[in-house]
C-alpha cells in the first residue's frame, strides 16, 4: 500500500535549521507533485511549499527561508530544508503527494502522518 512517512522534526532554537524528509513507498509509479503543509492546534492546515516538475513554489512565510527538493540519490524521498526558524514556525509538518500507481493511471493523493517541529524563542 502506498504511503508517505515524514521524519526529521524536533526541537530547535530560533534562528536554527531543520531538514525534514518525506519518503514515499509502496509500488508508486510516479510522483507528480510533492507538497508540505503545516498544522497547529486550532488553526487551518497551511500550505508551505510545492515541488512540481522540478519547479518549487512557496507560501510567503517560507520564501527565502525554506527549500523543497527531491533527493538526488532516491527519487522517492523529498526534503524540506528550513533555515532561520522562528517560533511561529512551530507546527506539525505533513507531506502530501499526487501519485500514479501505474502508467496512465489516475492521480491519487497521499498524506503522511506528520512530524512535529518546535522552535523555542
Amino acid at each position: 500500500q502506498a504511503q508517505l512517512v515524514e521524519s526529521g522534526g524536533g526541537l530547535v532554537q530560533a534562528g536554527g535549521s531543520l531538514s525534514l524528509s518525506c519518503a514515499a513507498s509502496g509500488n508508486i509509479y510516479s510522483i507528480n507533485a510533492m507538497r508540505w503543509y503545516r498544522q497547529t492546534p486550532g488553526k487551518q492546515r497551511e500550505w508551505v511549499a510545492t515541488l512540481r516538475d522540478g519547479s518549487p513554489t512557496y507560501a510567503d512565510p517560507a520564501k527565502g527561508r525554506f527549500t523543497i527538493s527531491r533527493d538526488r540519490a532516491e527519487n522517492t524521498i523529498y526534503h524540506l530544508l528550513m533555515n532561520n526558524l522562528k517560533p511561529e514556525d512551530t507546527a506539525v509538518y505533513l507531506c502530501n503527494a499526487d501519485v500514479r500507481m501505474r502508467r496512465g493511471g489516475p492521480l491519487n493523493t497521499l498524506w503522511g502522518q506528520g512530524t512535529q517541529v518546535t522552535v523555542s524563542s
Side-chain angles (χ1 to χ4, degrees):
Q1 185 170 350
Q3 63 176 353
L4 302 177
V5 178
E6 301 94 339
S7 61
L11 173 64
V12 65
Q13 287 189 327
S17 298
L18 278 176
S19 183
L20 307 182
S21 296
C22 176
S25 63
N27 295 320
I28 293 171
Y29 175 77
S30 66
I31 299 173
N32 279 40
M34 177 65 73
R35 305 175 189 87
W36 286 94
Y37 286 81
R38 62 189 184 185
Q39 177 89 59
T40 54
K43 294 180 69 175
Q44 280 193 324
R45 189 168 291 181
E46 179 186 24
W47 169 68
V48 175
T50 298
L51 185 64
R52 181 194 300 272
D53 296 330
S55 296
T57 52
Y58 301 96
D60 285 345
K63 287 179 181 177
R65 299 189 299 129
F66 294 5
T67 303
I68 185 172
S69 64
R70 190 175 74 174
D71 193 273
R72 294 187 178 187
E74 296 287 340
N75 63 8
T76 57
I77 298 176
Y78 288 74
H79 304 290
L80 182 70
L81 174 62
M82 305 185 293
N83 294 320
N84 190 23
L85 282 161
K86 305 174 182 180
E88 52 263 42
D89 294 318
T90 295
V92 173
Y93 283 72
L94 307 101
C95 57
N96 160 270
D98 296 333
V99 305
R100 297 187 195 277
M101 302 306 294
R102 56 180 173 82
R103 182 178 180 180
L107 283 174
N108 297 293
T109 298
L110 301 178
W111 284 94
Q113 293 297 310
T115 185
Q116 176 70 45
V117 171
T118 303
V119 185
S120 63
S121 58

